[in-house]
Amino acid sequence: MTDGGLFHALLFDYTLRTVALGAGALGVVAGALGCFAVLRRQSLLGDAISHAALPGIGLAFLLTGSRATPVLVLGAALAGWIGTLFVLGIVKHSRIPEDSALGIILSVFFGIGLVILTFVQRRPTAAQAGLETFLFGQAATLMVRDVLLIVGVGAGALLLLALFWKEFKLLTFDREFGGALGFPMVRIDILLTTLLVVGIVLGLQTVGVVLMSALVVAPAAAARQWTNSLSVMVVLAGVLGGVAGVTGALVSATGGGMPTGPVIVLMASAVVVVSLLVAPGRGLASELVRRFRVRRRVRADVVLSDLYALAVQHDESGEHAHPVAVLRAMHGGQAGTRRSLGVLAERGWAREVEPGRWAITPKGVERARTLFLPGGEEDGVETVGRGGVAPGGGL
Amino acid sequence: MIRSESGAPAPAIEVNDLTVAYGEQPVLWDIDLTIRQGSLTAIVGPNGAGKTTLIKAVLELVPRAAGRVEVLGRPYREARGEVAYVPQRGSVDWDFPTSVLDVVLMGTYGRLGWIRRPGRRERREAMEALEKVGMEAFADRQISQLSGGQQQRVFLARALVQEARIHLMDEPFQGVDARTEKAIVEVLRELRARGDTVVCVHHALQTVREYFDEVAILNVRMIAAGPVDEAFTEQNLRLAYGGRVPFLQGVTGFEVPGDGP
């Protein structure tokens, strides 16, 4: 199908529009809530919740015989929530560390879920159940009432997120300080975790239990790359999640029954990869540029200090010129001396008196002297990192 | 000054028979401590002595196995508005996506209560607090760009906007530069000048005599507590830190005032 055809279908195909709306809304909710999970280093908890939800889906179907979405979602939410409680309980009452507890609960619940699912499928009524779509998700199965459920419950979750924004921020950044202020941090934690459970189980039909946590984690991780503000991060993660949801659902729904979850996750992952590479400040590209600049500056400083040492030895005002070969020899014949001299000349710290012979300038002498001063921790000097290097080193 | 029913000034903090245990291991054993209003008190002791736990027990952040804690003659939950807290700098993730001003504003959250957001008034107060610690130029800075000393001053500013009268600080001088140390000491003295009480978990024994009026020497049990002149003796420190510890030589005397580490 061509792009024009897809666009046309989105506008005029009722089913496709429904599916896209559902997956998009889901991406927005999961992305926004995911920010807190990522910042609280609970990405794995999302994975445990979604896997733990599977037996809930199977049991809900077995007990009620209904495959109406609200019933299954409720079962999923209960199971996911119980799984979370088990994780917290194991961490609190045993010596098993959190990552192991998450692994245990994830695999045990998922295993139980698969057993129940297999059992359900062997029954004569299995044909209509179609519960196996919950493994990898099938957006094409979304009905209008499913989408309404996602939009309604998702909007409620986002509303609570906005309402308790301050409390959630406090919990995420400095839980103990919040406790000292008198906020019941345990209850705030339960509320936020419950919202995460809700966001995850809403997506199980569309994305599937296996990959749902990616839709929670990926948009948030990508958004973090682009901003240093929590509110911007949450909005951006919502947008990225929404885009991943819509495109993933469309590709899946028009691509001959390809499961939606993997497609959505691939979309979200593409966004993450791009963000990791090119985001300003935190991206790999800008990190490389920063490292290159630091290295160039350090090399130039080395050459400058050599020029300074030579000038001091010759006891002249620095106007005595030295051949490049001497400077190169002074630091073990390393390449790049000429380039460093170029950098120094740009700053006015050294000049080429005659071709191939260089001298330090008075300004360069001044600078070289500061190089040897002990640099204390003072305002204005940033650690070489996110802030970049201040011109002239800021010493 | 808050007075008790008998008319005498209530102690800022009164700890009676406090025991705290993590699992079966007691971290604090039968602690008695009275901190008078308007004093600067240092809590010193070796690693694992329970200094941080003592502060957290006062703030009801850790469960008490036994004992009683009163703040200004009341249980902590009733006196909460009078108490500011500066946790250890390393206890939070400084790569959290937020600005300096935002962190300082958290000090107003207790007063604001549920759901309400900080407004113009809170912002003004936060800026004033940042000025007091010399960080006003950093208000919009992302917190990951701060040096250790700057982080500490941000935490101090956050405590200042709490508008409390008792200030509990966990190692405010830990790993800070000389300039920050000076700024913090200045703030502590200003607080004392207006009658506030400050309690600091403190590591540098060399500066105890210069910075503080009172000292509590702790190692699971309370070894000694009282005015620095009386309690901060070599003998008490040996009891707390154990055996012959060469670095203790001279730190209790007047002859090395404020000789930094």
Side-chain angles (χ1 to χ4, degrees):
Chain A
M1 182 177 281
T2 63
D3 285 354
L6 192 61
F7 185 67
H8 185 269
L10 185 57
L11 273 183
F12 298 105
D13 185 327
Y14 182 74
T15 316
L16 209 52
R17 224 167 44 200
T18 309
V19 167
L21 181 64
L26 176 68
V28 171
V29 175
L33 290 171
C35 290
F36 287 89
V38 166
L39 290 173
R40 298 179 69 200
R41 307 185 191 289
Q42 285 187 336
S43 306
L44 266 177
L45 181 64
D47 212 18
I49 291 172
S50 71
H51 281 76
L54 191 60
I57 295 167
L59 281 178
F61 177 74
L62 274 182
L63 291 179
T64 65
S66 150
R67 64 146 287 130
T69 313
V71 174
L72 300 186
V73 162
L74 201 64
L78 275 177
W81 215 73
I82 290 170
T84 312
L85 289 184
F86 275 167
V87 170
L88 298 178
I90 289 174
V91 171
K92 196 170 175 191
H93 298 294
S94 79
R95 289 167 187 269
I96 297 173
E98 188 173 12
D99 58 337
S100 306
L102 286 166
I104 292 167
I105 293 304
L106 183 153
S107 46
V108 168
F109 273 61
F110 188 58
I112 296 173
L114 286 180
V115 168
I116 295 176
L117 236 56
T118 313
F119 176 71
V120 168
Q121 269 162 342
R122 290 227 177 108
R123 283 156 37 112
T125 53
Q128 305 94 345
L131 292 189
E132 71 282 354
T133 57
F134 276 91
L135 278 180
F136 295 109
Q138 192 48 270
T141 64
L142 281 180
M143 303 286 170
V144 174
R145 57 169 196 273
D146 301 335
V147 173
L148 287 180
L149 182 78
I150 293 175
V151 171
V153 176
L158 291 184
L159 188 72
L160 285 172
L161 186 67
L163 211 55
F164 294 105
W165 180 262
K166 177 176 106 235
E167 286 75 14
F168 290 153
K169 188 155 132 186
L170 198 56
L171 174 77
T172 310
F173 178 66
D174 197 348
R175 183 189 185 117
E176 295 213 309
F177 184 72
L181 289 179
F183 287 99
M185 300 317 279
V186 174
R187 263 180 269 168
I188 295 173
D189 193 349
I190 290 173
L191 179 61
L192 185 55
T193 307
T194 305
L195 289 185
L196 186 65
V197 171
V198 168
I200 286 173
V201 298
L202 277 182
L204 295 184
Q205 186 182 359
T206 315
V207 185
V209 298
V210 177
L211 292 170
M212 182 56 204
S213 70
L215 192 57
V216 173
V217 174
R224 179 68 187 93
Q225 291 291 107
W226 297 93
T227 177
N228 280 324
S229 150
L230 181 62
S231 45
V232 176
M233 178 183 170
V234 169
V235 171
L236 191 58
V239 171
L240 294 177
V243 170
V246 170
T247 50
L250 290 182
V251 170
S252 149
T254 56
M258 202 188 289
T260 317
V263 181
I264 289 185
V265 168
L266 283 181
M267 293 292 167
S269 306
V271 176
V272 172
V273 170
V274 170
S275 304
L276 284 176
L277 289 179
V278 304
R282 299 175 74 93
L284 198 59
S286 72
E287 179 66 33
L288 286 177
V289 168
R290 198 156 44 223
R291 273 192 219 162
F292 172 74
R293 282 204 188 127
V294 169
R295 207 168 55 192
R296 196 172 65 162
R297 196 196 57 156
V298 170
R299 283 189 176 170
D301 280 345
V302 168
V303 174
L304 182 69
S305 66
D306 289 345
L307 274 172
Y308 178 70
L310 288 172
V312 169
Q313 274 170 21
H314 284 260
D315 198 26
E316 289 167 32
S317 56
E319 290 303 308
H320 189 92
H322 305 276
V324 174
V326 171
L327 292 164
R328 190 174 295 142
M330 282 182 79
H331 48 274
Q334 247 183 42
T337 306
R338 261 179 203 287
R339 207 179 318 140
S340 295
L341 284 167
V343 173
L344 292 177
E346 250 172 59
R347 301 244 172 132
W349 292 339
R351 64 193 184 88
E352 194 166 20
V353 181
E354 50 191 274
R357 296 177 71 86
W358 288 75
I360 193 167
T361 63
K363 241 175 105 185
V365 171
E366 229 171 83
R367 159 75 182 165
R369 285 197 180 123
T370 65
L371 278 179
F372 301 110
L373 291 177
E377 189 188 28
E378 292 288 338
D379 297 344
V381 181
E382 288 157 6
T383 44
V384 176
R386 316 216 183 289
V389 180
L395 290 163
Chain B
M1 185 144 298
I2 302 225
R3 285 172 194 282
S4 64
E5 281 159 27
S6 63
I13 296 169
E14 174 125 58
V15 177
N16 284 314
D17 307 326
L18 174 70
T19 294
V20 176
Y22 294 144
E24 287 174 18
Q25 195 68 30
V27 186
L28 290 174
W29 185 259
D30 201 18
I31 300 288
D32 289 304
L33 178 65
T34 303
I35 290 170
R36 72 177 165 80
Q37 286 188 54
S39 67
L40 289 185
T41 302
I43 299 177
V44 300
N47 289 331
K51 305 183 293 286
T52 296
T53 306
L54 178 56
I55 282 195
K56 287 187 179 171
V58 172
L59 294 167
E60 294 185 0
L61 293 175
V62 294
R64 294 194 290 264
R68 208 159 47 92
V69 175
E70 281 188 348
V71 175
L72 295 170
R74 290 172 283 168
Y76 173 70
R77 37 191 83 229
E78 288 171 29
R80 205 175 260 143
E82 310 280 1
V83 182
Y85 174 41
V86 180
Q88 271 180 33
R89 174 161 58 86
S91 65
V92 303
D93 171 19
W94 288 95
D95 196 35
F96 191 81
T98 194
S99 69
V100 165
L101 185 68
D102 238 20
V103 172
V104 178
L105 280 170
M106 287 180 188
T108 67
Y109 283 11
R111 221 177 318 148
L112 289 169
W114 288 95
I115 297 172
R116 257 184 72 204
R117 305 285 176 88
R120 194 172 299 166
R121 188 174 147 230
E122 283 76 23
R123 273 165 202 286
R124 202 184 54 233
E125 289 169 356
M127 281 309 292
E128 284 167 9
L130 279 172
E131 274 168 38
K132 276 188 198 147
V133 297
M135 288 288 292
E136 68 274 20
F138 291 79
D140 297 323
R141 200 65 84 85
Q142 212 278 318
I143 57 171
S144 68
Q145 295 175 6
L146 302 178
S147 70
Q150 291 165 346
Q151 292 173 354
Q152 193 64 61
R153 277 184 274 162
V154 170
F155 260 18
L156 188 58
R158 184 176 70 170
L160 290 178
V161 295
Q162 286 188 257
E163 285 176 354
R165 303 188 36 247
I166 297 171
H167 309 263
L168 302 182
M169 306 188 183
D170 201 344
E171 305 214 11
F173 297 104
Q174 178 66 37
V176 302
D177 53 296
R179 181 180 161 168
T180 297
E181 179 141 353
K182 217 164 24 171
I184 296 174
V185 169
E186 225 163 85
V187 168
L188 297 192
R189 292 189 173 146
E190 259 173 53
L191 292 173
R192 178 175 54 185
R194 68 176 208 207
D196 284 12
T197 312
V198 181
V199 180
C200 289
V201 171
H202 195 59
H203 247 304
L205 296 175
Q206 301 89 328
T207 48
V208 167
R209 195 169 284 281
E210 188 192 355
Y211 294 165
F212 297 97
D213 315 322
E214 314 227 348
V215 68
I217 303 173
L218 188 69
N219 190 356
V220 184
R221 296 157 191 272
M222 188 59 76
I223 307 291
V228 171
D229 287 338
E230 294 166 23
F232 197 61
T233 64
E234 203 158 315
Q235 194 197 352
N236 284 337
L237 288 174
R238 276 184 203 291
L239 280 173
Y241 287 82
R244 300 189 329 231
V245 188
F247 77 91
L248 289 175
Q249 290 293 338
V251 299
T252 55
F254 286 102
E255 63 272 23
V256 280
D259 195 7

